[in-house]
Every structure is written in structure tokens, then in C-alpha cells.
């Protein structure tokens, strides 16, 4: 009888332990797949991805964030495959190229992974959420800035990006605004491909061909650096304003320091990857997705607000 009592008591204690012990916290894994830092803007993307990883993991002990970079579309596909093997619950991806990444993203969705796409849409938009910059707004805002700086009249040149939908949206919106001002003439438009060196060479070409240029829209802060170098070396003084985009720390510092030509730029924040990651946290924790697209607006950076945007520790 004593033995039986011991057994019963032991079972009771085991049951009490089971009932009173809280269940183990469910863990979540969020993968962030982004291009390697091959130029300034993507350097900013990598910086913000790593920063938001620390932020999310500190605020959510049940959540792990895995940041994965890739130098090419093929490598990015392989890296996403690896993230899927690790059992991620959500994938935040900025595709190097939309078409080659669509297949692996479709596979992720079929496996039940929540998909948040950043900046550029997939060839087959299967994502739960798209977080993107306002590309038409980016072009319109830049045009409005230049129109204002020139008081509605002058000669301008355009430095376009890589031929793609993003570039087309920006340039078309820019030209639509300029078309409303008959005293502003677009002298020429050429491709600088969002590249500093190509921006320098294109600006040298513009300066040789056109004796008077009142304003330059580079469409990208990396390009602005190259264009500004060419303009400075030319010893000319006709350009009234040079407007880029993206919000790089080098350009913002010039604005803060009162540069005579670089007084303004337009945001296209690499921090949108952090916005996407925060949305992923909400989604895996059960917050319903209320909208399929989240647009990050384009804003003007000027001397009045530049300090707010200046991140000296950023890679961009």
C-alpha cells in the first residue's frame, strides 16, 4: 500500500508540474534576402537590414532574423533556398532582378512562408506584401524642386538610370511636370545607370556639348557625386542646382554644409528594407495584412531638415 501511495503521489506531482509549467515560447524565423553592397544605395540596404535585425531581436526574444546577401541573381536564388531549409516563417526579399527570383519566391509561398517583397515587384507578384518607394512621386518631386529653383525657366539635362520599369516611371513623371513649363527646355537625356563613374563621364559630355546648363537632374546621389566632380573640374559656374535622389550621407552632408549647387535631394530610402522587416514581424505574430502594397513616399531633403536624415555611420 505504501508503494501504491508513493506512485499515486508521484503521478499527482507530475501532473501538477505539467499543468503549472508555461508552454515553451514559439520561435519565429525571418529571412532577409538582399543584394550585396555593390554601390552606395545597396550598401545602405545592407546597413539597414543588419540594424533592423538587432532591433527586432532585442524587442522580440521569440524571433530570429537571418540576413543573407548575394552578388548575383543566381546566388540569391541559392541563398533563399538555404533560408527555406532553415525553416523561415517569413521572407523579406529585395530581388536583384525580378524575373530570375520569381520562381524561388513562388516556392516559398507554396511552403507557407509569408513573402514581403521590397522595392521592385516580381515577374509573378505572389507576395503577401510589397514595400516600395514611390517612383512616379520621386520623379515628380525632383521636377517640382528644379522648377522652383529655376523660377520656371532654364535649360536642364537629365541623367537616367538603368533601363527598367523603375527608371521609366521616374523619368516619365519628371518629364510630365517639366512639360507644364514651356520656358524650361530639356537639352538632353542620357543614361548614367545609377553609377558614379558613368555620371562623371556623362556630365563631362554634357558640359562639352552645352555651353549653358541651368540645372541637372541626376536621379541618384551616387551619380551626383560623379557629375559634381566633372562640373567642379570644368571650372564653370552656370549650373544653379544639381538634384539627385536616394539620400546618401555624402550628399546630405553637402546640403548641411551649404554647398552652392547641391542644396537639395529627394529620398528613396534604403531603409525601406527595415520597414518591410518590421511588417514581417507583425505578420508572423498574427497581425492581419490589411493592404497588399505599402508605398514609402518621396520627400525633399533640404537644409531645413537634412540633419534628420543624416546617418554618419551608414554605408550610404
Amino acid at each position: 500500500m505504501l508503494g501504491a501511495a508513493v506512485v499515486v503521489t508521484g503521478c499527482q506531482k507530475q501532473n501538477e508540474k505539467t499543468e503549472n509549467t508555461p508552454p515553451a515560447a514559439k520561435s519565429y524565423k525571418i529571412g532577409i534576402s538582399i543584394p550585396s553592397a555593390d554601390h552606395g544605395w545597396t550598401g545602405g540596404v545592407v546597413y539597414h537590414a543588419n540594424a533592423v535585425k538587432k532591433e527586432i531581436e532585442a524587442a522580440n526574444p521569440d524571433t530570429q532574423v537571418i540576413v543573407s546577401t548575394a552578388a548575383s541573381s543566381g546566388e540569391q536564388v541559392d541563398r533563399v533556398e538555404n533560408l527555406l531549409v532553415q525553416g523561415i516563417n517569413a521572407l523579406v526579399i529585395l530581388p536583384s532582378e525580378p524575373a530570375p527570383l520569381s520562381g524561388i519566391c513562388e516556392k516559398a509561398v507554396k511552403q507557407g512562408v509569408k513573402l514581403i517583397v521590397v522595392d521592385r515587384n516580381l515577374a509573378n507578384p505572389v507576395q503577401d506584401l510589397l514595400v516600395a518607394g514611390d517612383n512616379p512621386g520621386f520623379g515628380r518631386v525632383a521636377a517640382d524642386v528644379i522648377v522652383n529653383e529655376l523660377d520656371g525657366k532654364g535649360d536642364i539635362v537629365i541623367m537616367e538610370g538603368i533601363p527598367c520599369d523603375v527608371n521609366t516611371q521616374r523619368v516619365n513623371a519628371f518629364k510630365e511636370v517639366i512639360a507644364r513649363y514651356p520656358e524650361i527646355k530639356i537639352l538632353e537625356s542620357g543614361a548614367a545607370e545609377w553609377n558614379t563613374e558613368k555620371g562623371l563621364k556623362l556630365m563631362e559630355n554634357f558640359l562639352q556639348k552645352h555651353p549653358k546648363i541651368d540645372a541637372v537632374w541626376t536621379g541618384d546621389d551616387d551619380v551626383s557625386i560623379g557629375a559634381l566632380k566633372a562640373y567642379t573640374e570644368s571650372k564653370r559656374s552656370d549650373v544653379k542646382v544639381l538634384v539627385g535622389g536616394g539620400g546618401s550621407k555624402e550628399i546630405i552632408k553637402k546640403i548641411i554644409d551649404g554647398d552652392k549647387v547641391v542644396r537639395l535631394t529627394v529620398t528613396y530610402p534604403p531603409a525601406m528594407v527595415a520597414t518591410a522587416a518590421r511588417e514581417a514581424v507583425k505578420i508572423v505574430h498574427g497581425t492581419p495584412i490589411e493592404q497588399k502594397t505599402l508605398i514609402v513616399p518621396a520627400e525633399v531633403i533640404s537644409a531645413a531638415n537634412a540633419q534628420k536624415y543624416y546617418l554618419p555611420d551608414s554605408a550610404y
Side-chain angles (χ1 to χ4, degrees), residues 63-126:
T63 304
Q64 178 187 3
V65 178
I66 307 166
V67 177
S68 174
T69 61
S72 67
S73 294
E75 185 179 2
Q76 191 171 17
V77 170
D78 292 340
R79 296 293 174 86
V80 173
E81 286 275 16
N82 183 262
L83 289 171
L84 295 179
V85 169
Q86 295 182 63
I88 57 172
N89 304 99
L91 173 64
V92 175
I93 183 168
L94 196 165
S96 299
E97 298 174 274
L101 271 299
S102 284
I104 190 65
C105 287
E106 290 171 19
K107 179 178 179 179
V109 171
K110 287 177 181 177
Q111 291 184 7
V113 174
K114 296 299 183 182
L115 181 65
I116 300 90
V117 174
V118 182
D119 184 41
R120 51 203 76 163
N121 212 343
L122 299 168
N124 181 17
V126 295

Side-chain angles (χ1 to χ4, degrees), residues 15-199:
N15 289 338
E16 289 171 3
K17 181 179 179 181
T18 302
E19 293 171 359
N20 296 330
T21 303
K26 183 177 180 180
S27 61
Y28 301 94
K29 289 183 181 179
I30 296 172
I32 300 179
S33 174
I34 51 179
S36 300
D38 58 356
H39 67 284
W41 194 82
T42 50
V45 171
V46 173
Y47 169 85
H48 285 288
N50 286 305
V52 81
K53 167 184 167 65
K54 295 178 182 177
E55 172 194 313
I56 290 170
E57 290 181 343
N60 302 272
D62 63 346
T63 304
Q64 178 187 3
V65 178
I66 307 166
V67 177
S68 174
T69 61
S72 67
S73 294
E75 185 179 2
Q76 191 171 17
V77 170
D78 292 340
R79 296 293 174 86
V80 173
E81 286 275 16
N82 183 262
L83 289 171
L84 295 179
V85 169
Q86 295 182 63
I88 57 172
N89 304 99
L91 173 64
V92 175
I93 183 168
L94 196 165
S96 299
E97 298 174 274
L101 271 299
S102 284
I104 190 65
C105 287
E106 290 171 19
K107 179 178 179 179
V109 171
K110 287 177 181 177
Q111 291 184 7
V113 174
K114 296 299 183 182
L115 181 65
I116 300 90
V117 174
V118 182
D119 184 41
R120 51 203 76 163
N121 212 343
L122 299 168
N124 181 17
V126 295
Q127 68 271 0
D128 297 280
L129 176 65
L130 171 67
V131 178
D134 182 359
N135 286 297
F138 182 92
R140 283 192 295 269
V141 168
D144 287 339
V145 164
I146 287 175
V147 167
N148 184 62
E149 290 295 307
L150 297 184
D151 292 325
K153 55 187 175 182
D155 298 327
I156 68 176
V157 292
I158 298 173
M159 295 184 166
E160 298 192 25
I162 295 170
C164 65
D165 185 54
V166 167
N167 179 71
T168 300
Q169 290 180 46
R170 293 176 176 184
V171 174
N172 286 351
F174 181 90
K175 289 181 176 179
E176 285 172 7
V177 173
I178 297 301
R180 300 200 294 265
Y181 298 86
E183 292 187 77
I184 294 182
K185 179 182 179 182
I186 298 175
L187 298 172
E188 192 172 349
S189 183
E193 300 185 8
W194 303 319
N195 178 277
T196 300
E197 187 61 30
K198 290 181 179 180

Side-chain angles (χ1 to χ4, degrees), residues 222-234:
D222 287 343
V223 174
S224 292
I225 297 301
L228 186 63
K229 186 175 188 295
Y231 177 65
T232 301
E233 291 175 351
S234 74

